[in-house]
Amino acid sequence: VGDLKGFRPGNVPLAMVVQRGGGQDNFKGAVLEEVLHSALPAVMAAHARDAVPQSERIATDARELRAAFDPAKPLEFCVEYVPLPPVRWLKPYKDIEVTVRETGSLETDAEAAEALIRQYRKDKGRQRVAAGRGLQAGDVAIVSMRVDPADGMGPPFPGLTREKFAFDTDEDPLSMVPHMLGAAAGEERVWEFGFPPDWHVELWRGQRAKATVKVLELFEWDLPAFDDDFVRAHFGPGAPSAANGVSFESADDMRKSLVAATTLERMKAATQACQDAIVEALAACVELDVPEEMVRLAGEKEYERRLMAMLQERRPELVEEIRFNAGASAIFEEEKLSIPEDVVEQEAASAAQQFEADGMEYDEAVLRADILARMEVMCVMDRLQQTVKVHTVPFEGDWKAAAKETAGAA
């Protein structure tokens, strides 16, 4: 209730406290809530190993508790919790064995480091027409490609039929290079292959396909040497890359560092693969009647973990978005912009209808506020596109970038 005039701190009469607390009933309810809140952890301490965390609840009816509550007498109440289900072993855990496939070796680590070095050299190099010869490993070819089911049944695989796109033979997830070696400009090659077992489209994994690829143009790289001068110029203490706290004095130091970093990542991945295999094997040994409270708790922990990881990873983008939204809100007020009320109502009704169709609960006021904020940002963006001075940088004829952009759009 705070300090009251005419009373020393700690000496306010109880009747005055009760009055300031909203009367006898409200005061009694507040005291009862505080007593239960402080007593519940002590009650559950004796059952911590037997109960599903956060599953406890006070089972005694609130009205009965309030009626029976007397500060001068002991208070009795009943607490219910979900007991942890007993573990039934389908197989002795001491018999668990797992198999983990290695994903590389010191040799492949060195190869991966060399691939990174080659990419660094390509960033500083240039391309020239490869005249008088066919395609070689390391080239960049402008090709047209079509990938169909091997049996001829069905349409081409979406996203893999492209016209005039830049194919870098150093990046070859479908192992096309062995089938294209020696192909000259204007030559077409046809072959069958199987999608790899780790292909990003799960449905296509292992499927047989027919590739039809025509080489239109052929380019080779003119790359700078990877030596001490190159490293000091681009990765030395004074180079822009040193801003990340990493710099090198020689090519040998940088090569060793790249190999070591690749090896460390491979070992981390191997450790994680081993742990994942153990989790799967141990879970297969256990029979458990899993209560819904345990599933919910595990889901909440996983969601929190992913949320924190996402916040850490995307913090700069989120801060930028917050700043933009704050600026847009200020502009909306300063420019005295407005959005017709009927447009807002129409959008809110449409969103509410979608929530109801999906069987999802929503707060009408929160939904409307979100829609209004989004529409205000769109309104400000429209205004800025009309008023901001835009400087356009002319295209400088980088055919590779243009080809990649066209392929990405396709």
Side-chain angles (χ1 to χ4, degrees):
V1 295
D3 295 335
L4 294 179
K5 278 188 176 183
F7 298 97
R8 292 193 302 274
N11 288 306
V12 180
L14 179 59
M16 187 70 71
V17 174
V18 171
Q19 181 183 354
R20 284 299 186 97
Q24 184 69 34
D25 286 344
N26 287 342
F27 178 76
K28 187 176 183 180
V31 173
L32 177 60
E33 182 178 348
E34 180 65 26
V35 169
L36 294 174
H37 180 74
S38 59
L40 194 56
V43 171
M44 291 303 301
H47 306 279
R49 295 184 61 85
D50 307 320
V52 173
Q54 302 177 24
S55 67
E56 65 273 9
R57 70 177 187 88
I58 296 174
T60 306
D61 184 77
R63 288 170 297 183
E64 292 180 12
L65 279 173
R66 182 175 292 216
F69 179 57
D70 184 343
K73 298 178 181 179
L75 177 66
E76 293 184 1
F77 58 93
C78 179
V79 176
E80 291 182 352
Y81 61 85
V82 177
L84 289 171
V87 172
R88 298 184 294 275
W89 292 103
L90 301 176
K91 174 183 176 181
Y93 67 88
K94 293 183 179 180
D95 294 342
I96 289 178
E97 295 182 8
V98 298
T99 301
V100 179
R101 186 181 299 277
E102 290 187 343
T103 58
S105 63
L106 292 177
E107 288 74 18
T108 60
D109 295 342
E111 291 172 2
E114 291 302 322
L116 283 173
I117 290 172
R118 178 172 172 80
Q119 185 58 53
Y120 294 144
R121 295 169 65 204
K122 286 162 69 173
D123 291 342
K124 305 301 179 184
R126 62 186 182 87
Q127 295 172 355
R128 61 191 178 199
V129 175
R133 65 171 179 81
L135 182 141
Q136 297 177 358
D139 288 344
V140 173
I142 304 300
V143 303
S144 291
M145 179 175 76
R146 179 186 176 94
V147 179
D148 297 285
D151 59 7
M153 305 294 290
F157 289 94
L160 294 181
T161 295
R162 304 180 184 178
E163 296 291 333
K164 298 181 180 180
F165 83 98
F167 169 55
D168 189 338
T169 56
D170 288 332
E171 302 171 9
D172 185 23
L174 288 177
S175 300
M176 295 167 52
V177 172
H179 303 280
M180 296 177 61
L181 289 175
E187 185 176 347
E188 183 176 274
R189 298 278 181 91
V190 181
W191 69 90
E192 289 192 10
F193 69 95
F195 282 99
D198 59 348
W199 188 250
H200 64 281
V201 181
E202 186 175 357
L203 184 63
W204 299 354
R205 294 173 184 173
Q207 287 195 42
R208 299 295 298 173
K210 182 180 74 172
T212 304
V213 180
K214 183 175 183 179
V215 178
L216 304 176
E217 297 179 79
L218 197 57
F219 297 86
E220 62 185 3
W221 284 100
D222 182 11
L223 302 177
F226 183 74
D227 53 21
D228 293 349
D229 291 336
F230 177 89
V231 169
R232 281 193 289 267
H234 303 294
F235 301 95
S241 61
N244 296 326
V246 180
S247 63
F248 306 96
E249 293 287 352
S250 70
D252 187 55
D253 286 344
M254 183 171 177
R255 178 176 278 109
K256 289 179 179 178
S257 178
L258 290 175
V259 172
T262 304
T263 301
L264 180 60
E265 288 303 313
R266 178 172 58 82
M267 293 176 65
K268 286 182 178 178
T271 299
Q272 185 61 54
C274 181
Q275 292 177 353
D276 291 343
I278 291 174
V279 168
E280 184 177 352
L282 180 58
C285 292
V286 174
E287 186 176 39
L288 196 71
D289 298 325
V290 182
E292 190 60 31
E293 289 80 1
M294 293 185 74
V295 177
R296 188 193 70 249
L297 183 62
E300 290 174 352
K301 288 182 178 179
E302 177 67 11
Y303 172 79
E304 184 177 354
R305 184 187 67 79
R306 294 190 180 187
L307 176 63
M308 295 306 296
M310 186 273 290
L311 290 176
Q312 185 175 3
E313 179 182 348
R314 296 193 54 217
R315 189 178 191 283
E317 301 170 45
L318 295 172
V319 169
E320 181 181 55
E321 182 179 344
I322 291 169
R323 289 174 174 170
F324 168 77
N325 289 334
S329 179
I331 292 172
F332 190 86
E333 295 292 334
E334 187 169 331
E335 296 290 327
K336 296 181 171 57
L337 302 176
S338 63
I339 300 172
E341 186 66 25
D342 60 330
V343 175
V344 178
E345 293 299 332
Q346 183 177 355
E347 287 293 323
S350 177
Q353 187 176 11
Q354 185 61 52
F355 273 109
E356 291 169 0
D358 294 338
M360 299 174 61
E361 295 183 358
Y362 65 94
D363 185 297
E364 187 174 344
V366 173
L367 178 63
R368 190 180 187 284
D370 288 344
I371 290 173
L372 182 60
R374 187 169 66 251
M375 296 184 75
E376 287 180 0
V377 167
M378 293 171 60
C379 181
V380 170
M381 179 59 76
D382 289 341
R383 172 62 64 89
L384 292 176
Q385 286 180 313
Q386 298 171 16
T387 59
V388 168
K389 188 173 183 180
V390 179
H391 301 277
T392 303
V393 179
F395 176 63
E396 297 179 353
D398 186 347
W399 63 266
K400 182 180 178 183
K404 279 190 174 181
E405 189 172 325
T406 302

